[in-house]
Amino acid sequence: PGGPGGSGVDYAAAADRVVTPQLHDAFDIVGFDPRGVGKSQPLNCLTGSQIDEFLATDATPDDQQEADTLVTESKEFGADCLAASAEMTAHIGSTNVVKDMDILRSALNQQTLDYLGFSYGTLLGAMYADEFTDRVGRFVLDGAMDPSLSNTEIAKGQALGFEVAIQRYIDHCIAEGKCPLGNDPVQAKQKLQAFLDSLDANPLPTGDANRPLTQALAMNAVIYPLYQPDYGWPLLTTALTLGLAGDGSAMLHIVDTFNERNADGTYEGNGTDALYAVNCVDRPDRPDLAQTEQLAQQWSTEAPMFGGYLAYGNLPCAYWPVPATGAGHATLAKGSPAILVVGTQYDPATPYVWAKALASQLENGVLVSWMGGDGHTAYNNGSDCIDRTIDAYLIHGVVT
């Protein structure tokens, strides 16, 4: 699954919901937690209360004090990872995970690997195919990442993707009737932006006096439902209805659910830790505060709601305590069998252009497109055409 930081063990355990019944019947489905993630000796950098504070901190500083706070937290993040495990912090990167994958293939006594990867899982799949091409079986990469991109380019692509996705949500919300943002698509987006801006100085009560709904938390509460429109869009409508009425509890609940926060303040996995620990060593670009401020200004012209927020999202990497062990590069997998690369037209987290790029890089990449599709990834998400195409390839080796 995605991330970095998603648990492949949990994903396999939920296989009856992740894959179609036909695929489930045809395969033994094996998942693994990458090094540093979940049950694979997790890298736990932050305590639950520290994650709470990190997620709530203003991620688009508009004065020196807010900038100083963000820099301090960014520096402490990497330092805490190093203190937790210097060895894991230095070796958690995807280049090492790909080698682990081949060890697992061998341990399963398989000459080749059949692989279904989603989101960040597509990066691991593409890298594996490039390094261990003669061991590639049937590969499907859904919600594709472009391996050639830097962290900065990834963040900008996502900012643009979420900007499109929020407008599609707004249009849907209006069409459904009784949209809390109003009935005009332009004014509705302006109303949402004004609501988010207001939280900078005036966070909303949530029922937990220690955790008001800050601007950063509200941004996440808007972003997360865009991943899965079927249940996410109605959830966002309900949460915004309450938020605009002065109650931030539903938006905070969205954030906690997405991040697997337990009622006692602990977190079920280490997704936040792993996300930064992996990304910061996978690619060497590390814009400092001044460069980040410039990027935020530039991106805000193209993605006014999400550009600045996502520009600052990479700031911890500027102060990461170990050097990068990887770098963005095109993956070719010369001589591999056909590799299906699946893209959803309005995917906000892995924009469709990334799927096109990866399919063109791979010598035998086959682009499968869900045109008109919303949300993150396509398989088993509502398109019979996509499901039939992927199942035909994985089960029968047929490219249709």
Side-chain angles (χ1 to χ4, degrees), residues 55 57 60 79-80 157 167 204 212 232 284-285 287 292 299 302 314 324 329 342 372 383 395:
L55 293 176
T57 297
T60 52
D80 287 341
Q167 190 62 59
L204 288 184
D285 62 310
T292 298
W299 296 1
E302 298 177 72
N314 283 330
H329 64 279
V342 186
S383 169
I395 298 171

Side-chain angles (χ1 to χ4, degrees), residues 370-395:
W370 184 13
M371 302 312 293
D374 289 289
H376 186 37
T377 73
Y379 183 59
N380 214 21
N381 266 338
S383 169
D384 289 339
C385 175
I386 291 290
D387 295 350
R388 288 195 306 269
T389 300
I390 291 176
D391 283 353
Y393 180 62
L394 288 175
I395 298 171

Side-chain angles (χ1 to χ4, degrees), residues 4-10 33-34 36-52 55 77 255-275:
S7 169
V9 171
D10 292 346
D33 286 355
V37 171
K39 298 174 179 65
S40 291
Q41 191 179 334
L43 178 63
N44 291 311
C45 309
L46 306 181
T47 64
S49 60
Q50 285 177 311
I51 295 175
D52 287 347
L55 293 176
F77 199 137
V255 177
D256 287 349
T257 300
F258 189 90
N259 288 291
E260 298 183 295
R261 187 184 189 272
N262 300 313
D264 63 1
T266 61
Y267 285 77
E268 194 64 32
N270 68 325
T272 300
D273 302 318
L275 179 72

